[in-house]
Amino acid sequence: MGAPYRRRHARRRQAEAAMLAPVNWVEERSGLVGGIRYFLFRNVPSDISWAQTLGSAALTAFIVQAVTGVILAMYYKPDPDKAYESIQFITNELTWGWLVRGMHRWGASVFIILLFLHMGRVFLFGAYKYPRELNWLIGVGLLALGMLEGFTGYLLPWDQTSYWATVVGINIQASGPFVGPFLANVLRGGAEIGSETLARFYAIHMLLIPGGLIGLIGLHLYLVMRLGVTSPPWSRKAAGRKRDPEAETRRQGLVEPRSRRGWRSGR
Ligand code: HEM
C-alpha cells in the first residue's frame, strides 16, 4: 500500500467520523438511533408476503396527507367568505398548487382504500387473534378517525357539494340515539351550518384528528414491533413445524400458561 492510498483512507475515515458524530451524539443521549435501527432491521418470518406491506402503504399514504395538508393550510382560509376563493387560488394560481391539492384530495381516498385492504388482509390471515386483539381494536380506532378526517375535510372547499354533503352527514348524526342530537349540535356549532361549523371542522380536521391518528399509529407500530408479524396462513414453517413443543404439551393434556406461548415467533 502506497502513501497516497493511506492518506486517502485516513481522509475517508475522518469524513465518516465527522458525519457520524451528530448521530452518535443523539444516540448516546436518547438511544433513539438504536430504536430506529431495531425497527428497520428486526427479524420477520422469512415467508411473509406482499399483502403484509399494506400497513406500510397506509402509513405512506398518511405521511403524504400530512405533508400536503400542511402546505394547503398555508394558503387555505377557513372563513365562509374566503374559503372557496382560497381553494380557487390554490388550484389555478399557486405554483404546483393544483398538484398538492390533487394529491391531498385523491390521497384521502387512497388512504381509506388502503386501510380497508390492510384490515381485510389482517382479517383473512387471522392476525387479529391472540395476542393481537388490542392492536386490532387500535386499528378500528384508526379506521374511525380516518373516516372522520375525510368527513371533516369534505366541507372545507365550501362549495355546493361540500355544503350539502355536510348537511346530510350532520342530519344523519342528529338521528342517532341518545347523544346523536347533542353531537350534531357540537359539530354544527349552532342552529345553522355557517362560519362556526367551518371553523370547527377546520380545527378538528387540522389538529384534533391528526393528533389522535399520530398517537394511535405510534401505539399500533409499537405493538407490531413488540408482538412480531404473523406468518401467512399457508406458512409451512408456522403450521407444520417438525417439533412443536406447544402441540406436544396439548397432546399430553397439559395446558400451557398463555404468557408462555410463542407470540414472538409469529403465530
Ligand atoms: C393509519 C392506519 C394504519 C396504519 C398506518 C397501519 C400500519 C400497520 C403496519 C405497518 C403493520 C405491520 C405490517 C402489516 O401487517 O402490514 C400493521 C399490522 C397490523 N395492523 Fe395496522 N395499520 C393501520 C390500520 C389498521 C386497521 C384499520 C386495522 C384493523 C382494524 C389494523 C390492524 C392491524 C393488526 C391486527 C396488525 C398485526 C398484523 C400481523 O401481525 O400480521 N391496522 N399495521
Side-chain angles (χ1 to χ4, degrees):
M1 271 192 294
Y5 174 81
R6 275 202 301 278
R7 267 201 303 277
R8 239 183 305 138
H9 189 64
R11 269 205 303 274
R12 216 176 74 190
R13 292 235 321 248
Q14 260 177 351
E16 272 171 15
M19 273 189 316
L20 283 179
V23 178
N24 288 336
W25 191 91
V26 172
E27 171 64 359
E28 222 175 298
R29 284 154 186 84
S30 66
L32 261 177
V33 182
I36 293 171
R37 189 193 288 258
Y38 174 75
F39 178 67
L40 292 178
F41 297 104
R42 72 195 193 284
N43 286 339
V44 292
S46 57
D47 51 4
I48 55 171
S49 70
W50 277 100
Q52 279 155 296
T53 57
L54 286 166
S56 307
L59 180 62
T60 309
F62 175 73
I63 293 170
V64 169
Q65 289 307 98
V67 172
T68 50
V70 168
I71 299 173
L72 289 176
M74 291 174 185
Y75 299 94
Y76 175 74
K77 299 194 171 73
D79 175 333
D81 295 331
K82 297 183 188 149
Y84 182 74
E85 227 171 73
S86 68
I87 291 280
Q88 291 308 309
F89 171 77
I90 291 169
T91 313
N92 301 322
E93 284 167 57
L94 187 67
T95 313
W96 300 109
W98 59 272
L99 181 64
V100 176
R101 184 179 171 218
M103 282 174 75
H104 197 76
R105 200 180 168 87
W106 291 99
S109 303
V110 171
F111 178 54
I112 298 289
I113 291 169
L114 284 171
L115 280 190
F116 274 103
L117 290 177
H118 171 56
M119 194 170 83
R121 187 299 282 174
V122 170
F123 180 74
L124 290 176
F125 278 31
Y128 55 85
K129 293 179 194 167
Y130 178 83
R132 297 185 178 80
E133 304 95 319
L134 179 61
N135 219 12
W136 173 268
L137 290 177
I138 292 172
V140 172
L142 282 169
L143 185 67
L145 283 185
M147 301 218 288
L148 212 65
E149 185 73 338
F151 177 62
T152 48
Y154 205 80
L155 177 67
L156 303 183
W158 203 250
D159 54 18
Q160 287 291 323
T161 321
S162 60
Y163 181 88
W164 291 108
T166 306
V167 170
V168 172
I170 291 184
N171 285 346
I172 291 173
Q173 175 62 54
S175 67
F178 309 116
V179 288
F182 169 74
L183 286 179
N185 260 337
V186 171
L187 279 177
R188 216 188 285 110
E192 293 283 320
I193 290 182
S195 59
E196 292 292 328
T197 326
L198 188 57
R200 268 169 206 220
F201 272 49
Y202 187 55
I204 295 172
H205 184 78
M206 276 265 297
L207 298 168
L208 197 62
I209 300 179
L213 279 170
I214 290 169
L216 284 187
I217 289 175
L219 253 168
H220 195 65
L221 295 184
Y222 165 72
L223 286 183
V224 167
M225 220 164 65
R226 183 177 158 81
L227 302 174
V229 176
T230 40
S231 291
W234 56 83
S235 166
R236 291 172 62 109
K237 279 199 196 96
R241 280 173 298 193
K242 271 197 187 139
R243 254 196 97 256
D244 184 348
E246 268 178 42
E248 272 166 32
T249 316
R250 276 198 303 276
R251 259 200 305 280
Q252 290 162 9
L254 301 171
V255 179
E256 200 188 6
R258 286 199 128 198
S259 59
R260 281 192 45 218
R261 290 184 194 160
W263 48 264
R264 268 186 194 284
S265 63
R267 291 159 64 84

